[in-house]
Amino acid sequence: MANPDHGNETSLTEVILLGLGILPELQTFLFLLFLVAYIVTVAGNLLIVVLVVADQHLHTPMYFFLGNLSCLETCYSSTLLPRMLAGLLTGDQTVSFSGCLTQYYFFGSLAATECFLLSVMSYDRYVAICHPLHYAARMMARAWLQLAGGSWLGGFLGNVITTLLVSQLTFCGSNTIDHFFCDFIPLIRLSCNDPKMIETLAFIFSLIFLLLPFLLTLTSYICIITTILRIPSTSGRQKAFSTCSSHLIVVTIYYGTLLIVYMFPTTDLLGDLKKVLSVVYTVLTPLANPLIYSLRNKEVKEALRKARKKFVFG
């Protein structure tokens, strides 16, 4: 139901993204910074995908899911950064409403898929460490495909609902979004609809796509850490922890920022902080993932060494 206090209803045809709210003289520097970040992100994640496909030693559930995550991160960055780079380069932050909805759909779908995929990866480590004798039976190739496919399907189908919801809202007044990309909460703040109803819906969707996967991941790691602490030898504990430490770092960074951005109400004090945290999970996390997994993983480093040797010596 439209709220008459918001003024006359309008047909929203375009929106203006205010971006990061930085000084004009910093735009060139930020353009170069984010351009380098985008190139490194795409190159690093595609390299992991190629290594996982090409090296037979990486044809295991853990690396299959890692390959899916790297593919997702490449798509994730490509959904947001090219538009952001164009805005920094030209100063034109105007986006058509349909373009804004399209960006939100792919961003939201990929973010939800990443939450599901991180939960699947934590489950994989849980079975490997807590139930090693059942690992081969539980994590057969069919199970890999079902878990990864379910994550992608759940993320993309689930976000259809929120995108349709936004497209049916009544808009009035300002068409300015105080953000650097089209996200759910900034978009619904442009509408004349009952804000309490919209915020409730936003909370419900955050609960389904963010909090539930987070709780599943948290439960898996509580079981994993408990099992590792029961291992009598120090070397055994270190070996077990090394198989999941990279994933734990990624999970902590990603969920830590997402929970603050989407589960806490937006106030004047939190508004700028949320924008900074959005840069962390949209730019820094996809950039850091290949570095974290390659630098802290012996199998990936060995596959990279063999690939480099094969490339150099033919």
Side-chain angles (χ1 to χ4, degrees):
M1 184 174 178
N3 187 343
D5 295 335
H6 285 75
N8 295 327
E9 296 178 10
T10 58
S11 176
L12 194 63
T13 57
E14 62 181 26
V15 295
I16 299 171
L17 299 171
L18 293 183
L20 295 170
I22 45 99
L23 297 172
E25 53 266 29
L26 292 176
Q27 285 196 344
T28 302
F29 169 74
L30 284 179
F31 170 78
L32 295 173
L33 182 66
F34 285 124
L35 178 62
V36 171
Y38 180 54
I39 293 170
V40 173
T41 298
V42 172
N45 281 291
L46 287 180
L47 177 61
I48 287 183
V49 173
V50 171
L51 289 176
V52 170
V53 171
D55 195 310
Q56 295 218 352
H57 292 95
L58 301 183
H59 291 182
T60 63
M62 183 172 77
Y63 294 110
F64 174 74
F65 297 134
L66 175 58
N68 273 265
L69 181 66
S70 294
C71 179
L72 185 147
E73 298 288 27
T74 303
C75 299
Y76 195 62
S77 296
S78 299
T79 300
L80 302 177
L81 281 178
R83 171 60 252 181
M84 183 181 178
L85 289 169
L88 286 170
L89 184 64
T90 65
D92 181 14
Q93 300 285 10
T94 304
V95 185
S96 68
F97 182 64
S98 60
C100 196
L101 269 185
T102 301
Q103 185 188 58
Y104 164 68
Y105 171 70
F106 283 102
F107 160 74
S109 299
L110 290 166
T113 301
E114 181 157 2
C115 289
F116 294 145
L117 199 54
L118 289 174
S119 294
V120 166
M121 293 174 76
S122 66
Y123 172 73
D124 171 69
R125 293 299 83 205
Y126 160 75
V127 178
I129 293 172
C130 300
H131 303 283
L133 297 179
H134 300 140
Y135 185 73
R138 287 195 192 182
M139 300 304 293
M140 297 174 68
R142 185 178 177 182
W144 310 359
L145 294 172
Q146 288 174 338
L147 289 168
S151 298
W152 286 91
L153 199 61
F156 276 81
L157 287 181
N159 203 45
V160 168
I161 301 170
T162 57
T163 306
L164 287 175
L165 173 67
V166 173
S167 69
Q168 297 303 311
L169 293 175
T170 304
F171 295 93
C172 55
S174 175
N175 67 336
T176 301
I177 293 179
D178 187 16
H179 213 340
F180 61 92
F181 67 96
C182 297
D183 200 4
F184 183 68
I185 295 175
L187 265 173
I188 62 178
R189 287 183 178 276
L190 299 181
S191 76
C192 317
N193 299 71
D194 182 4
K196 289 183 180 178
M197 179 193 72
I198 294 170
E199 287 175 8
T200 301
L201 287 171
F203 179 78
I204 291 170
F205 287 124
S206 297
L207 196 69
I208 296 170
F209 296 116
L210 173 58
L211 192 58
L212 288 180
F214 169 72
L215 291 176
L216 288 171
T217 303
L218 182 63
T219 302
S220 295
Y221 271 104
I222 289 173
C223 295
I224 288 169
I225 292 170
T226 302
T227 301
I228 289 174
L229 292 176
R230 289 175 183 164
I231 298 174
S233 67
T234 303
S235 61
R237 287 196 297 269
Q238 289 176 343
K239 185 178 179 181
F241 188 72
S242 68
T243 65
C244 61
S245 58
S246 299
H247 183 249
L248 186 57
I249 292 169
V250 171
V251 164
T252 302
I253 297 171
Y254 188 70
Y255 277 121
T257 53
L258 276 183
L259 286 169
I260 295 172
V261 171
Y262 291 104
M263 297 301 292
F264 286 85
T266 303
T267 61
D268 291 338
L269 183 63
L270 282 177
D272 290 335
L273 174 62
K274 285 188 174 186
K275 200 182 288 189
V276 173
L277 292 177
S278 294
V279 174
V280 173
Y281 72 79
T282 58
V283 180
L284 295 185
T285 302
L287 172 67
N289 282 358
L291 298 175
I292 292 171
Y293 281 108
S294 61
L295 293 177
R296 297 183 60 86
N297 192 292
K298 290 181 180 179
E299 287 86 354
V300 173
K301 285 194 286 188
E302 178 63 19
L304 186 60
R305 186 189 66 78
K306 287 191 294 184
R308 187 169 62 243
K309 185 177 179 181
K310 186 175 180 180
F311 179 76
V312 173
F313 297 103

